[in-house]
Structure formats: structure tokens, C-alpha cells
Amino acid sequence: MNGIRDARSYDLDALRERVLPETSGSVTESIPQLADADPAQCGIAIVTVDGEVRRSREADAVFSIQSAVKPFVFALALQDTDRAALERVGIEPTGEAFDAIKLESGTGRPPNPMVNAGALLTSSIVEGRNSDERAERIAAGLSAFAGRRLHVDEDIASAEQRLGDRNRALAHLMRSEGTLRVDADDAIGVYGRACATIVDAEALAVMGATLASGGVNPCTGEHVVSREVARDVISVMATCGVYDGSGRWMREVGVPAKSSVSGAIVLSVPGALGAAVFSPPLDEQGTSVRGHRASAILSDDLSLHSFGVPR
Ligand code: GLN
């Protein structure tokens, strides 16, 4: 199996040292808490589908998960609706930024669950009678993916709510199309809390590994989502996970992944492993520069590329 045997002895500190000298990119200024991030930070973790965990230095540095939450919220929405969520959100890549004010033409649905419009929608259809219950369902589901109880940073959650004007615009646009069926503020609040969930690279790698092992957390053995759901989610990560950088990512890294504005990237290699890199400076598409570089090297070293023929 690609990757898994070599992953168990892979030297993540050496990989970290290789990417640390890369100093291009800039830290987001979307909210003050993210703007304050230390641009020198870099943490990497790998978790195999048989539960082996490897970490670099700073793999325990904490950050808000931001858009790396989107695959997992999509997974919970699919699980809770018996996959009927697939009728509520598109699955085509947009070629546009994560917060583009654009819906699928003809249907008014969000284009896919990996952009903000899609995540606002998926977080509104997880199980729960009101926004508090939906937020709690997401918190519990994310914790099951990570194998430990995750917490929300309340300051970040309220900054998301206060400063999320584009998300507010998207929610109202979907309301006007009839595709968002909850109150716009409720949708923004639940999605904002999901983005404000605190993780470290190790927790995020376990989450990626849970998808990679068909929905079973390889560290706790918990069945979090079905195999079909995990496959659906990884497929959409592959095509849409890095926004308008998804094509370049697929060529250079070749692994289904999701980027985020905090500088996190989560990777899922079905049947092999999950991985996560956290380093705040971002490129033009909002992808962590060191994260992209580290993922490309890892993919090469462990023969993880989906379309590469092993040597
Ligand atoms: N919370 C951020 C937002 O909704 C997440 C965006 C991202 O990580 N790309 O704008």
C-alpha cells in the first residue's frame, strides 16, 4: 500500500527543517486573532489508518481550524441526512476564491461544500432543532473525528460573527434563492463556531485519517461516518479542497486535501493515512506556503500522489 509502511518511520522534524527557510506568503488579516499568528510556526503530523501517530516539533501548537473544518461538517451533514445533503449543495469546483459571492447558476445552491457558501449551508443541515443544537452536534462530531473533546475559542467565534460580512452576504443570497432554510444569522453563527474550533496538527491529522480509513477513527475505533460518506467527502476534497488552487495542488501534491486561512492543511489518503501541516503564511489562494511545500515533499517521499506510478 502506498505510503503506509514508510510513514511509520518518516522523519517529520527533518521535513519541517526543510520547509522552515521558506519565508514567502503572508498571514491573513481577516480577524485580529489570526493576524496575530507567529509566521515562524510550523507543525506537522501523520496518522496512519492503523493508528500510528508521528509528529514534528510544534505539532502541538494550537490554532483555529477555520476552513479545514469544511470536509468534516460536510461529512456530518451527509451522515445526518442519509446523504440527502447531496441534493442541497453542488460538487463542482468554482475556480474562484473561498468567499466568492456566487451560487450555482440555475439552482441557487452553493457551488460546493468546500467554499464558504457551501459550508454555511452544510452547517445548517446537520442534526439539531435549533442553532445551539446544531453547533453542539458539530462540536461533538468534530471531537469524534479527532478522538478528543475539542473546544471553541469564543473570542474567535464572535470575531467571525462580527466581521463576517461576506458570509452574511452569502447567507442572505441563499435565503433569497430559498436554498438556505434557516435564519441567516443562525447559519453564520453555527459556521463561525465551527471555524473557531481549536485543534493542533496532531488532532487535525487524526481527523484526516478518520476519513482515510472509511469513517472509523483509527485511534479510538469509533465509527464516526459511513464508508460511503467518507468516500464522498474525500472525492470533493480532491476536486474543490484548495479553491482556485485545486488544479495546481492536484498536480504538485496529488492528495485530497483542504486548506484554511489559519494556515492549516489537512490531507486524506484513502486506505493509507491522514496528515496535517500548520504554518500561518499563505499564498494568493489562501494556502499555507510551507504547508503546500511540506505536502509536496511528503507526497513524493511516500509515493502518495494519486496519479503517480510508484518507482
Ligand atoms: N472563517 C473563515 C471565513 O469564513 C474561513 C475561511 C478560510 O479558512 N478560507 O471567512
Side-chain angles (χ1 to χ4, degrees), residues 16-29:
R16 180 173 175 277
E17 292 297 323
R18 275 182 75 180
V19 300
L20 273 182
E22 175 65 70
T23 54
S24 63
S26 42
V27 175
T28 184
E29 293 184 354

Side-chain angles (χ1 to χ4, degrees), residues 11-147:
D11 186 349
L12 288 179
D13 278 323
L15 174 61
R16 180 173 175 277
E17 292 297 323
R18 275 182 75 180
V19 300
L20 273 182
E22 175 65 70
T23 54
S24 63
S26 42
V27 175
T28 184
E29 293 184 354
S30 65
I31 58 170
Q33 291 85 346
L34 291 175
D36 278 348
D38 175 2
Q41 275 191 321
C42 183
I44 312 173
I46 302 179
V47 177
T48 64
V49 292
D50 50 11
E52 186 90 20
V53 180
R54 291 197 72 78
R55 341 168 166 72
S56 74
R57 287 185 57 202
E58 292 193 303
D60 58 352
V62 295
F63 52 90
S64 57
I65 188 168
Q66 298 296 337
S67 285
V69 82
K70 288 167 175 165
F72 305 101
V73 173
F74 180 39
L76 296 172
L78 289 169
Q79 186 70 22
D80 289 355
T81 59
D82 214 1
R83 290 163 94 205
L86 288 168
E87 284 149 35
R88 304 276 308 271
V89 56
I91 53 166
E92 299 303 333
T94 62
E96 296 195 56
F98 66 95
D99 57 355
I101 308 293
K102 203 168 170 196
L103 300 177
E104 194 175 64
S105 63
T107 67
R109 303 186 306 177
N112 70 62
M114 302 296 144
V115 294
N116 284 16
L120 283 159
L121 194 289
T122 54
S123 54
S124 80
I125 59 176
V126 299
E127 186 79 43
R129 284 163 300 186
N130 54 47
S131 57
D132 286 346
E133 285 187 13
R134 286 190 289 273
E136 178 45 37
R137 162 62 180 143
I138 291 173
L142 297 177
S143 300
F145 269 111

Side-chain angles (χ1 to χ4, degrees), residues 39-260:
Q41 275 191 321
C42 183
I44 312 173
I46 302 179
V47 177
T48 64
V49 292
D50 50 11
E52 186 90 20
V53 180
R54 291 197 72 78
R55 341 168 166 72
S56 74
R57 287 185 57 202
E58 292 193 303
D60 58 352
V62 295
F63 52 90
S64 57
I65 188 168
Q66 298 296 337
S67 285
V69 82
K70 288 167 175 165
F72 305 101
V73 173
F74 180 39
L76 296 172
L78 289 169
Q79 186 70 22
D80 289 355
T81 59
D82 214 1
R83 290 163 94 205
L86 288 168
E87 284 149 35
R88 304 276 308 271
V89 56
I91 53 166
E92 299 303 333
T94 62
E96 296 195 56
F98 66 95
D99 57 355
I101 308 293
K102 203 168 170 196
L103 300 177
E104 194 175 64
S105 63
T107 67
R109 303 186 306 177
N112 70 62
M114 302 296 144
V115 294
N116 284 16
L120 283 159
L121 194 289
T122 54
S123 54
S124 80
I125 59 176
V126 299
E127 186 79 43
R129 284 163 300 186
N130 54 47
S131 57
D132 286 346
E133 285 187 13
R134 286 190 289 273
E136 178 45 37
R137 162 62 180 143
I138 291 173
L142 297 177
S143 300
F145 269 111
R148 59 167 117 140
R149 181 69 200 185
L150 301 175
H151 296 282
V152 170
D153 182 310
E154 296 297 337
D155 285 344
I156 295 179
S158 70
E160 297 284 344
Q161 178 103 6
R162 205 171 58 250
L163 302 170
D165 289 322
R166 294 185 72 83
N167 290 338
R168 188 158 287 109
L170 283 166
H172 283 289
L173 195 59
M174 289 190 286
R175 289 282 307 167
S176 77
E177 293 285 347
T179 48
L180 181 68
R181 299 182 195 153
V182 304
D183 182 77
D185 279 321
D186 281 2
I188 297 156
V190 175
Y191 167 63
R193 291 186 72 76
C195 289
T197 304
I198 299 299
V199 290
D200 57 22
E202 182 181 337
L204 192 54
V206 176
M207 295 172 80
T210 299
L211 287 177
S213 63
V216 180
N217 184 314
C219 300
T220 63
E222 182 174 352
H223 286 252
V224 183
V225 294
S226 71
R227 292 174 81 82
E228 292 76 19
V229 164
R231 195 182 73 172
D232 285 341
V233 173
I234 294 179
S235 306
V236 180
M237 288 166 78
T239 49
C240 308
V242 191
Y243 311 122
D244 46 339
S246 296
R248 182 166 79 95
W249 176 274
M250 191 45 74
R251 188 187 74 77
E252 293 177 3
V253 183
V255 171
K258 183 73 207 77
S259 57
S260 105

Side-chain angles (χ1 to χ4, degrees), residues 1-11 46 54 273 301-303:
M1 186 66 226
N2 57 355
I4 185 158
R5 201 181 55 241
D6 296 339
R8 292 198 192 102
S9 56
Y10 194 78
D11 186 349
I46 302 179
R54 291 197 72 78
L273 55 85
D301 288 350
L302 299 181
S303 303

